[in-house]
Amino acid sequence: MDRLAFTAMASVNERRLLREQLNNELANVSTVGFKRSFDNAMVAVKAKGEGWDSRIQPYLEKKNAVSLEPGSLMATGNKLDIAMQDQTVLGVQAQDGTLAFTRRGDLKVNSQGVLENGSGHVVLSSDGVPITIPPGLMVDINPQGDIYATDPTQPAPQQPVLIARLMLRDASQVALERRPDSLFAPHPEFRTATGDFASGPKPATVVPGALESSNVNVVTAMVKLIDFSRSFETQIRTIKEAKSLDESGASMLKAR
C-alpha cells in the first residue's frame, strides 16, 4: 500500500506548481499586457534509488514559455498608451539594469523626465538607451514606434521633432521565457550577449491610444482551478484509504 500512497503524494507535490501558476494568472487577469505561460505537462518517470526500481511516479515536465496570444484592445485616448500588435514586444530596462521585454504599454513620464511603463520599468529606445522626454512638450507615438514632440507654446503649424524610436521586436520566430520579475527574455539559443534578439519577419508595430488586456481566460482558469482542487481531494482520499487498508491488514495479522 505504500506504493499507492507514494504515487498519490508525488502527484500532489508536482501539481502544486501548476496551481501556483494558475493562481498567478488569476491574480493578473486585470494586469495590462499580462501573458500567461504555456501549460505544463504531467509525465510518468521511474523513481531512482535503492529499493525503488519498480516504482513509477508522476513528474511535472516544466516548460518556461510565454504565450503571446493577443488580449483584447481597450481604447484610452491617452497619447502615451500603446498596445503591441501581433507578437510585438517592447524593450525595457529591468530593475537589475539588464535588457528585458514586455507587452505592458501604459507609458508615462516620471519625475526625472524618463519614459517608463506602469510597472516602473524604464522604456528603451532602438539604440538601447532610456528615453528622455523634454519638459513641456506634447508627445505623439506613431504605429512604427516613433516618438514625436511638439512645443505647444509655439505657433502652428510646426514640424514635429523626432525624439526617439521605441525598441520594438517581432517575437513570432523566437521563444520567450518568463523572468523572475515577470518580464520576458528570449531563450538562450536566440539571445545575444546583451540579452537582445533578432526581430522576426513581421513588422513590429503598435496601436497608439490603446492598451492590451491580459490574455488569461477567466472561465477556463476557474474551471482548471476547480479541477485541481478536486484532484487534490482525490489524492488525499487515496492516501487515507491506503493508510486504512494497511492498518486493516496489520490488524488481521495480529489476530492470527
Side-chain angles (χ1 to χ4, degrees):
M1 295 303 170
D2 62 325
R3 295 186 182 183
L4 182 61
F6 173 83
T7 303
M9 181 56 68
S11 177
V12 170
N13 289 333
E14 291 298 317
R15 291 177 70 87
R16 170 181 53 84
L17 301 175
L18 290 175
R19 288 193 296 273
E20 290 178 356
Q21 175 185 321
L22 185 57
N23 289 333
N24 178 62
E25 292 177 359
L26 284 172
N28 287 279
V29 166
S30 59
T31 301
V32 174
F34 178 81
K35 297 299 174 186
R36 61 182 178 83
S37 300
F38 286 136
D39 293 333
N40 297 315
M42 192 76 75
V43 298
V45 297
K46 188 174 182 180
K48 297 180 180 180
E50 185 177 355
W52 299 69
D53 294 339
S54 62
R55 304 202 178 191
I56 302 296
Q57 72 178 77
Y59 174 76
L60 184 65
E61 190 74 26
K62 306 174 185 66
K63 183 178 182 181
N64 185 4
V66 177
S67 170
L68 290 180
E69 179 183 353
S72 58
L73 292 182
M74 304 176 291
T76 64
N78 189 337
K79 292 185 177 181
L80 286 180
D81 286 342
I82 56 173
M84 270 62 77
Q85 290 189 306
D86 295 326
Q87 294 183 306
T88 299
V89 291
L90 173 66
V92 295
Q93 186 180 73
Q95 298 296 336
D96 59 2
T98 59
L99 172 62
F101 296 91
T102 183
R103 290 275 290 197
R104 183 159 188 169
D106 50 344
L107 308 185
K108 60 181 180 180
V109 181
N110 63 20
S111 58
Q112 286 76 39
V114 178
L115 192 64
E116 62 181 25
N117 66 3
S119 298
H121 297 117
V122 175
V123 178
L124 299 179
S125 69
S126 56
D127 298 325
V129 297
I131 299 174
T132 302
I133 306 296
L137 298 184
M138 296 183 61
V139 176
D140 290 284
I141 303 176
N142 68 9
Q144 287 70 43
D146 297 323
I147 303 176
Y148 288 93
T150 55
D151 189 349
T153 63
Q154 298 297 321
Q158 58 176 298
Q159 186 69 24
V161 179
L162 177 64
I163 296 179
R165 169 172 287 186
L166 297 173
M167 179 184 285
L168 300 177
R169 298 286 186 269
D170 169 41
S172 60
Q173 305 297 318
V174 175
L176 298 178
E177 61 183 12
R178 192 182 303 279
R179 293 164 42 116
D181 55 9
S182 294
L183 294 173
F184 308 150
H187 277 277
E189 61 266 29
F190 303 103
R191 192 184 309 164
T192 65
T194 60
D196 199 358
F197 65 93
S199 187
K202 297 181 181 179
T205 57
V206 300
V207 179
L211 292 175
E212 180 191 18
S213 65
S214 168
N215 68 350
V216 177
N217 187 304
V218 180
V219 176
T220 302
M222 288 300 298
V223 170
K224 286 184 178 180
L225 187 61
I226 294 172
D227 177 64
F228 286 151
S229 298
R230 291 179 176 174
S231 175
F232 175 79
E233 293 173 357
T234 300
Q235 300 297 342
I236 296 300
R237 192 179 302 116
T238 300
I239 296 173
K240 290 181 177 179
E241 288 297 326
K243 178 176 179 292
S244 177
L245 291 173
D246 189 56
E247 290 176 346
S248 298
S251 298
M252 292 177 62
L253 291 176
K254 288 180 180 180
R256 290 186 177 182

